[in-house]
Amino acid sequence: MAHPSQLGFQDAASPVMEELLHFHDHALMIVFLISTLVLYIIVAMVSTKLTNMYILGSQEIEIIWTILPAIILILIALPSLRILYLMDEVTSPHLTVKAIGHQWYWSYEYTDYQEIAFDSYMVPTQDLAPGQFRLLEVDHRMVVPTEAPIRVLVTAEDVLHSWAVPALGVKMDAVPGRLNQTAFIASRPGVFYGQCSEICGANHSFMPIVVEAIPLNFFQDWSTLMLEDA
């Protein structure tokens, strides 16, 4: 969960998000080193009046400042491509959930269970219980088991939406007439918040996403209760 004045990312709740955080730190360190070198060169050029003719006409330096950026780009691109393919990988999901975007709420269908489907609306401010977050809490959470591959099929009924949960490293566009898929593994129990990340109309800011990850035995009890209520 993000908090005021937070500078970094939310704590990772999935293996993919952990990889994204590591890649962010890796790229940020490279940017920091490049910025430091450029700042040093600027300060050195401004503060000294000495001129080295060898540096001004050196072919070796031109080769270095051509090859070095290419090496740096490779060091950034290879980990980035690895994570990109990891994010697209969907192998043997234990559970499939279909998320449907509407103006302005989400619907969830557990396709492995014929009777489990519900709408998820934002809880109005006046109805919030103590400890619940304004504009982020919903009346029905998407419940998933921990440490299990979850496939989410994302689509929309009316306009473009986007199903995004930062702590899980998930963001997928919901397009009317198209079925997109993404996957995640919740590595720990918890409640993870997200929001629609595609401007979808007047109430775009009022269709939050809440994913509750619970151990498998508790998920079985929840699914049994939902089937009995259906």
PDB file of all heavy atoms in Angstrom, residues 34 52 54 67 102 123 129 135 140 164 185 191 201 212 218 222:
ATOM      1  N   ILE A  34      26.223   7.713 -14.886  1.00  0.00           N
ATOM      2  CA  ILE A  34      26.360   8.556 -16.078  1.00  0.00           C
ATOM      3  C   ILE A  34      26.206  10.026 -15.699  1.00  0.00           C
ATOM      4  O   ILE A  34      26.985  10.892 -16.151  1.00  0.00           O
ATOM      5  CB  ILE A  34      25.310   8.160 -17.134  1.00  0.00           C
ATOM      6  CG1 ILE A  34      25.608   6.767 -17.674  1.00  0.00           C
ATOM      7  CG2 ILE A  34      25.287   9.172 -18.280  1.00  0.00           C
ATOM      8  CD1 ILE A  34      24.545   6.237 -18.610  1.00  0.00           C
ATOM      9  N   ASN A  52      44.311  20.333 -23.348  1.00  0.00           N
ATOM     10  CA  ASN A  52      45.139  19.199 -23.732  1.00  0.00           C
ATOM     11  C   ASN A  52      44.863  18.892 -25.199  1.00  0.00           C
ATOM     12  O   ASN A  52      43.782  18.415 -25.553  1.00  0.00           O
ATOM     13  CB  ASN A  52      44.807  17.985 -22.847  1.00  0.00           C
ATOM     14  CG  ASN A  52      45.808  16.847 -23.050  1.00  0.00           C
ATOM     15  OD1 ASN A  52      46.240  16.586 -24.166  1.00  0.00           O
ATOM     16  ND2 ASN A  52      46.161  16.184 -21.948  1.00  0.00           N
ATOM     17  N   TYR A  54      46.047  16.607 -27.023  1.00  0.00           N
ATOM     18  CA  TYR A  54      45.909  15.172 -27.279  1.00  0.00           C
ATOM     19  C   TYR A  54      44.449  14.739 -27.107  1.00  0.00           C
ATOM     20  O   TYR A  54      43.922  13.950 -27.895  1.00  0.00           O
ATOM     21  CB  TYR A  54      46.822  14.383 -26.333  1.00  0.00           C
ATOM     22  CG  TYR A  54      46.667  12.889 -26.462  1.00  0.00           C
ATOM     23  CD1 TYR A  54      47.223  12.195 -27.541  1.00  0.00           C
ATOM     24  CD2 TYR A  54      45.961  12.163 -25.506  1.00  0.00           C
ATOM     25  CE1 TYR A  54      47.068  10.835 -27.664  1.00  0.00           C
ATOM     26  CE2 TYR A  54      45.810  10.797 -25.618  1.00  0.00           C
ATOM     27  CZ  TYR A  54      46.368  10.127 -26.716  1.00  0.00           C
ATOM     28  OH  TYR A  54      46.220   8.776 -26.829  1.00  0.00           O
ATOM     29  N   ILE A  67      31.668   3.313 -28.270  1.00  0.00           N
ATOM     30  CA  ILE A  67      31.458   1.935 -27.829  1.00  0.00           C
ATOM     31  C   ILE A  67      30.807   1.873 -26.458  1.00  0.00           C
ATOM     32  O   ILE A  67      29.917   1.046 -26.215  1.00  0.00           O
ATOM     33  CB  ILE A  67      32.792   1.165 -27.826  1.00  0.00           C
ATOM     34  CG1 ILE A  67      33.400   1.140 -29.238  1.00  0.00           C
ATOM     35  CG2 ILE A  67      32.589  -0.254 -27.291  1.00  0.00           C
ATOM     36  CD1 ILE A  67      32.540   0.441 -30.253  1.00  0.00           C
ATOM     37  N   HIS A 102     -16.524  -1.944 -16.636  1.00  0.00           N
ATOM     38  CA  HIS A 102     -17.755  -1.237 -16.981  1.00  0.00           C
ATOM     39  C   HIS A 102     -17.579   0.229 -16.585  1.00  0.00           C
ATOM     40  O   HIS A 102     -16.668   0.593 -15.861  1.00  0.00           O
ATOM     41  CB  HIS A 102     -18.968  -1.809 -16.227  1.00  0.00           C
ATOM     42  CG  HIS A 102     -19.142  -3.296 -16.352  1.00  0.00           C
ATOM     43  ND1 HIS A 102     -19.932  -3.876 -17.314  1.00  0.00           N
ATOM     44  CD2 HIS A 102     -18.611  -4.320 -15.631  1.00  0.00           C
ATOM     45  CE1 HIS A 102     -19.897  -5.192 -17.180  1.00  0.00           C
ATOM     46  NE2 HIS A 102     -19.101  -5.486 -16.162  1.00  0.00           N
ATOM     47  N   VAL A 123     -16.748   1.560  -2.445  1.00  0.00           N
ATOM     48  CA  VAL A 123     -17.543   1.863  -1.253  1.00  0.00           C
ATOM     49  C   VAL A 123     -17.599   3.374  -1.083  1.00  0.00           C
ATOM     50  O   VAL A 123     -16.547   4.027  -1.018  1.00  0.00           O
ATOM     51  CB  VAL A 123     -16.930   1.205  -0.005  1.00  0.00           C
ATOM     52  CG1 VAL A 123     -17.706   1.602   1.252  1.00  0.00           C
ATOM     53  CG2 VAL A 123     -16.903  -0.308  -0.162  1.00  0.00           C
ATOM     54  N   ALA A 129     -15.858   1.665   6.673  1.00  0.00           N
ATOM     55  CA  ALA A 129     -15.618   1.211   8.038  1.00  0.00           C
ATOM     56  C   ALA A 129     -14.276   1.761   8.516  1.00  0.00           C
ATOM     57  O   ALA A 129     -13.427   2.142   7.692  1.00  0.00           O
ATOM     58  CB  ALA A 129     -15.628  -0.317   8.092  1.00  0.00           C
ATOM     59  N   LEU A 135     -11.822   5.923  -1.582  1.00  0.00           N
ATOM     60  CA  LEU A 135     -11.651   5.803  -3.035  1.00  0.00           C
ATOM     61  C   LEU A 135     -10.907   4.535  -3.458  1.00  0.00           C
ATOM     62  O   LEU A 135     -10.634   4.335  -4.642  1.00  0.00           O
ATOM     63  CB  LEU A 135     -10.937   7.026  -3.632  1.00  0.00           C
ATOM     64  CG  LEU A 135     -11.578   8.389  -3.403  1.00  0.00           C
ATOM     65  CD1 LEU A 135     -10.775   9.468  -4.104  1.00  0.00           C
ATOM     66  CD2 LEU A 135     -13.020   8.410  -3.890  1.00  0.00           C
ATOM     67  N   HIS A 140     -16.970  -5.878  -2.932  1.00  0.00           N
ATOM     68  CA  HIS A 140     -16.621  -7.281  -3.157  1.00  0.00           C
ATOM     69  C   HIS A 140     -15.205  -7.347  -3.722  1.00  0.00           C
ATOM     70  O   HIS A 140     -14.950  -6.844  -4.825  1.00  0.00           O
ATOM     71  CB  HIS A 140     -17.600  -7.952  -4.117  1.00  0.00           C
ATOM     72  CG  HIS A 140     -18.978  -8.094  -3.573  1.00  0.00           C
ATOM     73  ND1 HIS A 140     -19.966  -7.157  -3.787  1.00  0.00           N
ATOM     74  CD2 HIS A 140     -19.533  -9.058  -2.803  1.00  0.00           C
ATOM     75  CE1 HIS A 140     -21.074  -7.533  -3.189  1.00  0.00           C
ATOM     76  NE2 HIS A 140     -20.848  -8.675  -2.581  1.00  0.00           N
ATOM     77  N   ALA A 164      -5.130  -2.708 -13.279  1.00  0.00           N
ATOM     78  CA  ALA A 164      -3.758  -2.529 -12.814  1.00  0.00           C
ATOM     79  C   ALA A 164      -3.695  -2.651 -11.297  1.00  0.00           C
ATOM     80  O   ALA A 164      -4.482  -2.039 -10.582  1.00  0.00           O
ATOM     81  CB  ALA A 164      -3.220  -1.160 -13.242  1.00  0.00           C
ATOM     82  N   ILE A 185       1.495 -14.284  -9.515  1.00  0.00           N
ATOM     83  CA  ILE A 185       1.538 -15.187  -8.363  1.00  0.00           C
ATOM     84  C   ILE A 185       1.660 -14.321  -7.123  1.00  0.00           C
ATOM     85  O   ILE A 185       2.651 -13.590  -6.969  1.00  0.00           O
ATOM     86  CB  ILE A 185       2.722 -16.167  -8.445  1.00  0.00           C
ATOM     87  CG1 ILE A 185       2.615 -17.048  -9.686  1.00  0.00           C
ATOM     88  CG2 ILE A 185       2.787 -17.034  -7.186  1.00  0.00           C
ATOM     89  CD1 ILE A 185       3.812 -17.962  -9.892  1.00  0.00           C
ATOM     90  N   VAL A 191      -3.843  -7.652   1.208  1.00  0.00           N
ATOM     91  CA  VAL A 191      -4.844  -6.943   0.407  1.00  0.00           C
ATOM     92  C   VAL A 191      -4.103  -5.921  -0.445  1.00  0.00           C
ATOM     93  O   VAL A 191      -3.386  -5.067   0.082  1.00  0.00           O
ATOM     94  CB  VAL A 191      -5.887  -6.253   1.309  1.00  0.00           C
ATOM     95  CG1 VAL A 191      -6.904  -5.499   0.458  1.00  0.00           C
ATOM     96  CG2 VAL A 191      -6.592  -7.278   2.188  1.00  0.00           C
ATOM     97  N   GLY A 201     -13.845   8.040 -18.656  1.00  0.00           N
ATOM     98  CA  GLY A 201     -15.059   8.829 -18.504  1.00  0.00           C
ATOM     99  C   GLY A 201     -15.077   9.619 -17.218  1.00  0.00           C
ATOM    100  O   GLY A 201     -14.073   9.748 -16.522  1.00  0.00           O
ATOM    101  N   GLU A 212      -7.479  -9.619  -2.840  1.00  0.00           N
ATOM    102  CA  GLU A 212      -7.174 -10.174  -1.515  1.00  0.00           C
ATOM    103  C   GLU A 212      -6.580 -11.568  -1.710  1.00  0.00           C
ATOM    104  O   GLU A 212      -7.240 -12.469  -2.243  1.00  0.00           O
ATOM    105  CB  GLU A 212      -8.420 -10.246  -0.652  1.00  0.00           C
ATOM    106  CG  GLU A 212      -8.138 -10.757   0.756  1.00  0.00           C
ATOM    107  CD  GLU A 212      -9.352 -10.718   1.667  1.00  0.00           C
ATOM    108  OE1 GLU A 212     -10.414 -10.239   1.208  1.00  0.00           O
ATOM    109  OE2 GLU A 212      -9.240 -11.157   2.820  1.00  0.00           O
ATOM    110  N   PHE A 218      -8.043 -21.351   3.132  1.00  0.00           N
ATOM    111  CA  PHE A 218      -9.044 -20.307   3.330  1.00  0.00           C
ATOM    112  C   PHE A 218      -9.771 -19.982   2.021  1.00  0.00           C
ATOM    113  O   PHE A 218     -10.967 -19.662   2.028  1.00  0.00           O
ATOM    114  CB  PHE A 218      -8.398 -19.045   3.898  1.00  0.00           C
ATOM    115  CG  PHE A 218      -7.913 -19.206   5.311  1.00  0.00           C
ATOM    116  CD1 PHE A 218      -6.567 -19.368   5.575  1.00  0.00           C
ATOM    117  CD2 PHE A 218      -8.805 -19.214   6.367  1.00  0.00           C
ATOM    118  CE1 PHE A 218      -6.118 -19.527   6.871  1.00  0.00           C
ATOM    119  CE2 PHE A 218      -8.365 -19.366   7.676  1.00  0.00           C
ATOM    120  CZ  PHE A 218      -7.019 -19.528   7.927  1.00  0.00           C
ATOM    121  N   TRP A 222     -13.736 -19.996   1.238  1.00  0.00           N
ATOM    122  CA  TRP A 222     -14.419 -18.853   0.609  1.00  0.00           C
ATOM    123  C   TRP A 222     -15.199 -19.290  -0.622  1.00  0.00           C
ATOM    124  O   TRP A 222     -16.355 -18.883  -0.809  1.00  0.00           O
ATOM    125  CB  TRP A 222     -13.392 -17.782   0.238  1.00  0.00           C
ATOM    126  CG  TRP A 222     -13.958 -16.631  -0.518  1.00  0.00           C
ATOM    127  CD1 TRP A 222     -14.583 -15.533  -0.020  1.00  0.00           C
ATOM    128  CD2 TRP A 222     -13.979 -16.479  -1.958  1.00  0.00           C
ATOM    129  NE1 TRP A 222     -14.976 -14.700  -1.038  1.00  0.00           N
ATOM    130  CE2 TRP A 222     -14.625 -15.241  -2.232  1.00  0.00           C
ATOM    131  CE3 TRP A 222     -13.503 -17.247  -3.016  1.00  0.00           C
ATOM    132  CZ2 TRP A 222     -14.799 -14.788  -3.526  1.00  0.00           C
ATOM    133  CZ3 TRP A 222     -13.696 -16.787  -4.307  1.00  0.00           C
ATOM    134  CH2 TRP A 222     -14.327 -15.563  -4.549  1.00  0.00           C
TER     135      TRP A 222
END
